[in-house]
């Protein structure tokens, strides 16, 4: 079975601080793609960042960066200079070359306090 | 349109009723996906279309669930004889590409409540 584990149901961060959301996954495939999605109360899933497993360099998108450890099957998301608008559910997901489905974790609820 | 549009936004159905959920993907997007998101959970894959061809329906939970995309654009997810366990948010997503390396654009979903 292919699974994604997000061990932190809830996280809290103060505005302007840095927070890291953890994610581990399990797949026997060697080629796959990793994603972090944000889901605000509007329910629309918004792509935050993506990483190709064959790339060793960690992806970065403005204040968002990942720490990808392929051997450990770990894919954490770091949010720097947190803003009130970052408050949402965050989902880690992956998709393999051989399949069509995005496999999601259960999510982490991020609260940003002033 | 500019994004993926889903309708209705909310649907309340009596147990045993049939429902149809609509997804309008971004124009020209080849790939279309349906996901089911139960309360407090991550989305679970239901089915995938490449143009009008349904290439993967392995996630459909029972034969009461049926999806179609007859002209390769708008898609409909139909649930027959709804049960309480069908209560969830149903998300549609589309992608310009067929490959797995790109993220998808999601709609805001339809929240189905079966009473």
């Amino acid at each position: 079975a292919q699974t994604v584990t997000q061990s932190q149901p809830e996280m809290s961060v103060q505005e302007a601080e840095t927070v890291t959301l953890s994610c581990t996954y399990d797949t026997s495939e060697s080629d796959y793609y990793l994603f972090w999605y944000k889901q605000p109360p509007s329910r629309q899933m918004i792509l935050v960042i993506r990483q190709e497993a064959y790339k060793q360099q960690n992806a970065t998108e403005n204040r968002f960066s990942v720490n990808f450890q392929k051997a450990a099957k770990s894919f954490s998301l770091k949010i720097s200079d947190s803003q009130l608008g970052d408050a949402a559910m965050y989902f880690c997901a992956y998709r393999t070359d051989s399949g069509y489905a995005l496999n999601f974790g259960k999510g982490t609820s991020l609260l940003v306090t002033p | 349109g500019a994004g993926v549009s889903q309708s209705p936004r909310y649907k309340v159905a009596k147990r045993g009723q049939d429902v149809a959920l609509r997804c309008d993907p971004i124009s020209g997007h080849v790939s279309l996906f349906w996901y089911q998101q139960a309360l407090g959970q991550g989305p679970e894959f239901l089915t995938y279309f490449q143009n009008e061809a349904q290439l993967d329906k392995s996630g459909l939970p029972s034969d009461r669930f049926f999806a179609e995309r007859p002209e390769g654009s708008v898609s409909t997810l139909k649930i027959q004889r709804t049960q309480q366990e069908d209560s969830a948010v149903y998300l549609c997503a589309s992608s310009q590409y067929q490959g797995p390396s790109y993220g998808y654009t999601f709609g805001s979903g339809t929240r189905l409540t079966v009473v």
Side-chain angles (χ1 to χ4, degrees):
Chain A
Q2 302 181 113
T3 60
V4 179
T5 301
Q6 293 180 248
S7 59
Q8 307 149 316
E10 294 179 352
M11 290 286 284
S12 182
V13 63
Q14 276 194 315
E15 213 174 351
E17 296 297 307
T18 296
V19 64
T20 298
L21 309 183
S22 66
C23 171
T24 58
Y25 57 93
D26 186 19
T27 178
S28 56
E29 307 256 350
S30 57
D31 293 325
Y32 51 90
Y33 305 84
L34 296 158
F35 306 88
W36 277 97
Y37 278 89
K38 170 184 177 181
Q39 188 178 42
S42 67
R43 299 200 305 251
Q44 185 181 19
M45 302 283 280
I46 301 164
L47 179 64
V48 174
I49 198 166
R50 65 183 178 94
Q51 171 86 40
E52 293 90 342
Y54 63 83
K55 288 188 177 178
Q56 292 186 338
Q57 186 173 8
N58 289 322
T60 299
E61 288 286 343
N62 300 313
R63 298 183 295 107
F64 300 88
S65 61
V66 298
N67 183 4
F68 174 46
Q69 302 288 330
K70 190 172 185 179
K73 296 182 179 177
S74 171
F75 183 61
S76 61
L77 174 70
K78 185 170 83 171
I79 306 174
S80 304
D81 186 26
S82 297
Q83 301 175 0
L84 294 176
D86 295 333
M89 285 292 293
Y90 285 81
F91 292 93
C92 176
Y94 78 89
R95 178 180 172 178
T96 65
D97 256 343
S98 63
Y100 299 110
L102 266 177
N103 299 284
F104 286 90
K106 291 187 176 182
T108 295
S109 178
L110 179 65
L111 175 67
V112 182
T113 57
Chain B
V4 177
S5 177
Q6 291 189 246
S7 60
R9 186 156 173 80
Y10 299 92
K11 175 70 179 177
V12 178
K14 290 185 177 179
R15 192 168 54 179
Q17 193 176 6
D18 297 349
V19 298
L21 312 180
R22 178 187 171 102
C23 173
D24 270 288
I26 294 173
S27 179
H29 276 201
V30 169
S31 296
L32 186 144
F33 303 80
W34 283 98
Y35 286 82
Q36 180 190 59
Q37 186 175 20
L39 187 64
Q41 302 293 317
E44 296 275 347
F45 171 79
L46 293 177
T47 188
Y48 165 67
F49 289 87
Q50 187 179 107
N51 297 307
E52 69 279 2
Q54 189 175 20
L55 298 187
D56 188 344
K57 54 182 181 179
S58 62
L60 296 176
S62 77
D63 58 8
R64 296 186 295 104
F65 286 71
F66 172 76
E68 60 183 4
R69 194 186 184 196
E71 297 178 359
S73 56
V74 171
S75 177
T76 304
L77 176 67
K78 297 178 179 178
I79 309 173
Q80 297 177 323
R81 305 181 303 281
T82 51
Q83 305 293 317
Q84 283 194 317
E85 62 262 29
D86 300 335
S87 295
V89 172
Y90 290 85
L91 294 167
C92 176
S94 70
S95 174
Q96 184 178 356
Y97 306 100
Q98 301 170 22
S101 64
Y102 299 91
Y104 317 138
T105 302
F106 280 82
S108 295
T110 294
R111 181 181 296 281
L112 173 66
T113 303
V114 181
V115 297

